[in-house]
Amino acid sequence: MTVEPAARPAAGRVTPPTGLTAAEVAERVAAGAVNVAAARTSRSLAAIVRSNVLTFFNGLLTALWVVAVLTGRWQNALFGGVVVANAAIGIVQELRAKRTLDRLAVLTAPRARPVRDGREDEVAVAEVVLDDLLVVRAGDQVPVDGVLRDGTGLSVDESLLTGEADAVAKAPGDRLLSGSVVLAGAGRMQATAVGEQAYAARLAAEARVFTRARSELQEGTNRILRWIALGLLVVGPLVLWSQFRTEENEDWRDAVTGTVGALVGMIPEGLVLLTTLAFLVATLGLARRQVLVQELPAVEGLARVDVVCLDKTGTLTHGDVTFDRLVPLPAHDAAAAAGLALLCAADGGNATARALAAAFPDAGTDVAAGAVPFSSARKWSAIRTAGGTSWVLGAPEMVLPAPATAAQREARTAAEELAARGSRVLLLARSRSPWSGDPGEPDLPDALEPVDLVVLAERIRDDAAEVLRYFTDQGVALKVISGDSPRTVGAVAASVGVPGVAGAADAVDARTLPEDVGELGAALETASVFGRVTPHQKRAMVRALQARGHVVAMTGDGVNDALALKDADIGVAMGNGAPATRAVAQLVLLDGRFAHLPQAVAEGRRVIANIERAANLFLVKNVYSLLLALVTVATLVAYPLAPVQLTLISTLTIGVPGFFLALAPNTRRYVPGFVGRVLRFSVPVGVVTGAAAYAAYAATRWLDEDGGVDAARTAATLVVLVVALWTLGVLARPLTGPKAALLAVMAGVAALVVAVPALGEDVLFLQPTGSLLLLAAGLGSAGALLVEVVARTGAATAPGARVA
């Protein structure tokens, strides 16, 4: 990707170290030079209304409703209520979701730290103005384009913009691109491009938009809808021709009514609504559990996850690192405390430095002459004092990768023993030599002398073991990947019950892993815990697992997790994590509790499995309506069902029960092949239903010639009700109490409608007689038996495909 240069400051202005004044900020706000392209979590009210009202099928149903009204039979226009209900429910639910997401997004909205009137402030990114002097630190996502004015060891990752994964060292005068991630160091930058002129607005919008983005489920549904639309265009004119040709219709009103009935039956009027509604309900349900869904397809991804990659810090542990104790080594002296204090002062942007700064607050009089800030790639930091001493603090195996002296070997052994007990250990070393090499990729000083082991304390989350047990029981593989020592990570993983990990020795040192994607994937299949993983290795691990067909969820809270979160199928960021991780994640655990993740996965599985169940219900109706339309064209008979009768059938066997079943519990893990599974069930069941309905219609016309079309349609309606209610029962299995009650209510309403003349005869044009009821019972039972055979055959040939 080619990145255009950042705009230069207005009129060559260089903002002073004290930043802009309040008057200068107000002047820029009045001129519109403000970062107004704020992230938006949801669509506007107009867009919500437009998307729910102005659809192809709503337009077609409205046109058919007008035609039905013109025939003078108001009963056959009752299906128009479906259009209004669909639009109203969709609008109301999305507005609820909009309010919830907008409110929660405030908690994770990006913030900036401008220096104004000599004071560092904190404001929303949208309040940054042109020429603002902004403080940036490790873990931040750069909010606007700008120029670095001063900084210490600043390096950034621009891969979110350019695709190039290497860390880029920045010196004063270099440009910083909005959307890039600060990996190490700290500094001050001057904003040179804000709002629509900067890349941050575009990136934030993509990360936080309330979207109906592409997913297999939605693509499959759209494909089915396109097929149905094509079928309507082809079959509609043929049905109209047949209805005007048949002798069973007395006038144009009957012909038009039959055509309207055929077309209404082929329209899946509530499928899109229920699909959208299921996503929205999941989003609101997760929001109540303090889980912010930043992309709706994440709900589907949750249902498909079969591997969860965990970062130790912030997920298995609380992430609030505290200083535990100092383990003196033979070279320890009083200068060690001053060295630690200087290191913390030069590298205060990360949690470890802040924890140590509380224990070693006094930097003394020896001022640092240079610094190398900590980075998760090299895993050490350094400072050089004015007196010519270099102090290095970092992971023992990175600071002393090849121990050469007895003191170095003893330090490494002592560090490994502490790490094996689950402690997080850093090594403090010193040298008279400076570091060397490129400023962005410095080399360690020579002849390092180990001085102290710094032991940090981490608290394991109380719910970690329970959460991991849930995933194990659900058949989800767990991979703990951390930048910490393999022995430390292994000990923590063993204590919380990661399968296959008995102790510290079971962890793998990521520095020994192959770079080849295939070989890396094979290694990931055989081990569960990895230490000393670099940020780019985390990203490679996610891609290697995906290459082996896995659906990967990645959790993290640090800047070193951002790249892997971005590439994972589902990125899960902690609400208290780095801004960069929250910006690229699909889910944010607002209160930072890892225990919400199983709830989120369960919600996703419930929703997606229920969408498949609803799709089966709708497509069965579309199939039998299409079959009846084709039979009508071939035999030149009146369409076997009146529009008002189809409205009754749809309401009792699809609309109302589909709504409730879409919200019912469901634990089945979603697997690919949504369209194929739905068609394998709905097509044969639809054919059975349509054949039984036409058999009832034809038999009645033959046995009761005087009954006419109304009697034949009565028989067909009753048969479809029996078979469709049985189909509903099949899809609702296992029949829990609420589901059985739902079926009983739907069947009771159907019986009531048939039994009450004011409803059955005057509104629905039904003419039930004893002989018709017997005929319908016989053909309906036969159809129900065939549906049962189809369902059991499908379950036998496609294990796990049936909805539980």
Side-chain angles (χ1 to χ4, degrees):
M1 173 180 176
T2 301
V3 179
E4 297 296 329
R8 302 308 303 168
R13 172 191 170 100
V14 175
T15 303
T18 55
L20 299 178
T21 66
E24 289 172 326
V25 171
E27 177 186 340
R28 283 160 175 75
V29 171
V34 63
N35 200 40
V36 294
R40 200 175 61 187
T41 59
S42 57
R43 300 183 295 177
S44 67
L45 174 61
I48 290 173
V49 173
R50 188 165 53 246
S51 66
N52 282 280
V53 174
L54 302 180
T55 68
F56 171 75
F57 289 115
N58 277 354
L60 182 55
L61 282 171
T62 301
L64 293 174
W65 178 82
V66 171
V67 173
V69 169
L70 293 177
T71 64
R73 296 177 178 177
W74 61 269
Q75 298 94 328
N76 283 324
L78 289 176
F79 66 85
V82 173
V83 180
V84 177
N86 283 354
I89 293 173
I91 291 171
V92 169
Q93 289 293 340
E94 190 162 344
L95 284 176
R96 286 184 61 204
K98 171 183 170 63
R99 287 195 297 269
T100 300
L101 293 179
D102 286 347
R103 184 172 64 252
L104 292 179
V106 173
L107 301 176
T108 57
R111 308 286 289 178
R113 292 181 292 272
V115 176
R116 295 173 178 173
D117 290 319
R119 299 188 307 274
E120 182 180 327
D121 200 359
E122 184 173 295
V123 301
V125 166
E127 297 176 21
V128 173
V129 300
L130 188 67
D131 292 327
D132 249 333
L133 192 65
L134 303 174
V135 176
V136 289
R137 304 185 182 116
D140 287 346
Q141 189 170 36
V142 179
V144 293
D145 293 350
V147 173
L148 184 64
R149 290 301 177 210
D150 62 75
T152 303
L154 195 76
S155 64
V156 300
D157 189 313
E158 298 177 344
S159 62
L160 296 179
L161 298 173
T162 66
E164 299 173 3
D166 294 333
V168 181
K170 297 292 183 179
D174 289 346
R175 61 177 179 156
L176 293 175
L177 297 172
S178 58
S180 57
V181 175
V182 180
L183 296 176
R188 295 184 177 191
M189 62 172 287
Q190 179 177 340
T192 59
V194 296
E196 299 296 337
Q197 302 302 315
Y199 286 92
R202 193 178 313 163
L203 183 70
E206 290 174 357
R208 316 190 80 84
V209 69
F210 179 91
T211 177
R212 299 179 188 187
R214 291 165 60 90
S215 70
E216 184 197 351
L217 191 70
Q218 291 177 326
E219 285 182 349
T221 301
N222 290 336
R223 195 182 320 142
I224 291 171
L225 294 177
R226 286 194 294 270
W227 293 342
I228 292 172
L230 181 60
L232 287 168
L233 293 175
V234 174
V235 177
L238 295 176
V239 173
L240 181 63
W241 170 81
S242 70
Q243 293 304 285
F244 274 100
R245 288 290 305 274
T246 180
E247 297 179 358
E248 293 185 351
N249 288 329
E250 296 180 0
D251 56 22
W252 70 270
R253 292 179 177 82
D254 291 336
V256 169
T257 297
T259 303
V260 169
L263 296 181
V264 168
M266 293 170 60
I267 296 174
E269 63 272 7
L271 179 57
V272 175
L273 170 68
L274 272 185
T275 301
T276 303
L277 181 61
F279 277 123
L280 293 175
V281 168
T283 300
L284 292 174
L286 293 174
R288 285 192 290 270
R289 296 179 173 90
Q290 293 295 296
V291 179
L292 175 63
V293 179
Q294 300 197 125
E295 297 180 17
L296 279 187
V299 176
E300 176 183 330
L302 285 171
R304 297 190 289 120
V305 164
D306 63 355
V307 175
V308 175
C309 295
L310 311 168
D311 182 29
K312 174 183 70 68
T313 305
T315 50
L316 299 182
T317 62
H318 283 277
D320 51 347
V321 181
T322 58
F323 172 71
D324 184 9
R325 65 189 187 277
L326 208 63
V327 178
L329 297 173
H332 172 79
D333 58 29
L340 276 171
L342 284 170
L343 281 162
C344 297
D347 196 21
N350 63 71
T352 300
R354 290 194 297 270
L356 292 177
F360 302 94
D362 184 10
T365 58
D366 200 358
V367 180
V372 176
F374 176 84
S375 87
S376 55
R378 59 176 169 264
K379 303 190 187 306
W380 57 268
S381 61
I383 56 98
R384 186 161 179 81
T385 68
T389 299
S390 295
W391 291 95
V392 178
L393 179 69
E397 63 269 37
M398 306 300 282
V399 175
L400 299 175
T405 67
Q408 291 180 345
R409 288 192 291 270
E410 290 173 7
R412 282 289 305 272
T413 300
E416 290 173 1
E417 290 174 353
L418 288 169
R421 295 197 290 269
S423 297
R424 185 175 178 184
V425 185
L426 300 177
L427 173 66
L428 176 67
R430 66 184 165 200
S431 173
R432 298 299 298 176
S433 302
W435 52 85
S436 58
D438 183 87
E441 296 290 338
D443 296 324
L444 286 162
D446 295 330
L448 281 168
E449 181 183 26
V451 176
D452 289 311
L453 293 178
V454 181
V455 183
L456 302 172
E458 289 185 283
R459 294 179 296 129
I460 296 177
R461 291 182 180 270
D462 296 335
D463 50 20
E466 181 181 350
V467 172
L468 298 187
R469 187 163 52 250
Y470 166 84
F471 283 118
T472 301
D473 293 343
Q474 293 292 316
V476 177
L478 300 170
K479 307 294 176 185
V480 181
I481 52 180
S482 173
D484 286 348
S485 162
R487 298 184 68 81
T488 300
V489 181
V492 171
S495 69
V496 295
V498 174
V501 181
D506 290 326
V508 175
D509 190 327
R511 292 172 295 177
T512 65
L513 292 174
E515 294 185 4
D516 178 76
V517 173
E519 295 177 2
L520 178 59
L524 289 168
E525 296 284 9
T526 59
S528 298
V529 180
F530 303 86
R532 291 299 173 224
V533 184
T534 67
H536 299 306
Q537 275 185 310
K538 289 186 178 183
R539 190 181 201 181
M541 287 176 166
V542 168
R543 291 178 172 177
L545 288 167
Q546 290 170 328
R548 297 179 72 87
H550 292 293
V551 180
V552 182
M554 172 74 193
T555 71
D557 66 343
V559 63
N560 59 325
D561 302 317
L563 299 178
L565 286 172
K566 177 177 179 289
D567 284 355
D569 296 282
I570 299 295
V572 183
M574 299 299 168
N576 56 355
T581 63
R582 299 198 305 269
V584 299
Q586 287 84 25
L587 299 178
V588 179
L589 305 182
L590 295 174
D591 59 3
R593 288 189 59 200
F594 181 47
H596 290 314
L597 196 54
Q599 300 169 344
V601 171
E603 185 76 9
R605 291 183 175 184
R606 179 186 68 79
V607 168
I608 302 308
N610 287 341
I611 288 177
E612 184 171 322
R613 173 156 49 196
N616 278 314
L617 283 174
F618 280 99
L619 290 184
V620 165
K621 186 199 78 165
N622 299 141
V623 170
Y624 70 66
S625 296
L626 174 61
L627 178 64
L628 291 176
L630 295 175
V631 170
T632 296
V633 173
T635 60
L636 292 179
V637 298
Y639 190 76
L641 298 169
V644 68
Q645 293 161 353
L646 272 168
T647 299
L648 172 69
I649 294 168
S650 296
T651 301
L652 297 183
T653 66
I654 302 171
V656 173
F659 177 84
F660 284 101
L661 291 178
L663 308 179
N666 203 319
T667 60
R668 194 204 76 191
R669 183 167 69 86
Y670 178 76
V671 291
F674 161 73
V675 173
R677 284 195 306 277
V678 169
L679 293 179
R680 281 194 297 274
F681 178 84
S682 60
V683 170
V685 171
V687 169
V688 167
T689 307
Y694 180 73
Y697 181 90
T700 303
R701 293 289 287 149
W702 177 56
L703 295 173
D704 184 11
E705 295 182 2
D706 295 334
V709 172
D710 285 347
R713 283 177 170 167
T714 299
T717 300
L718 295 175
V719 167
V720 173
L721 278 171
V722 171
V723 179
L725 284 170
W726 191 268
T727 301
L728 175 61
V730 167
L731 291 172
R733 294 172 184 168
L735 288 178
T736 59
K739 292 178 186 177
L742 176 66
L743 275 172
V745 170
M746 296 299 101
V749 172
L752 179 65
V753 168
V754 173
V756 177
L759 294 174
E761 296 179 13
D762 298 341
V763 178
L764 298 167
F765 307 127
L766 297 176
Q767 296 181 358
T769 62
S771 58
L772 279 181
L773 291 174
L774 287 174
L775 176 65
L779 289 174
S781 298
L785 178 62
L786 289 175
V787 168
E788 187 67 30
V789 171
V790 169
R792 292 179 181 274
T793 303
T797 57
R802 288 268 50 85
V803 179

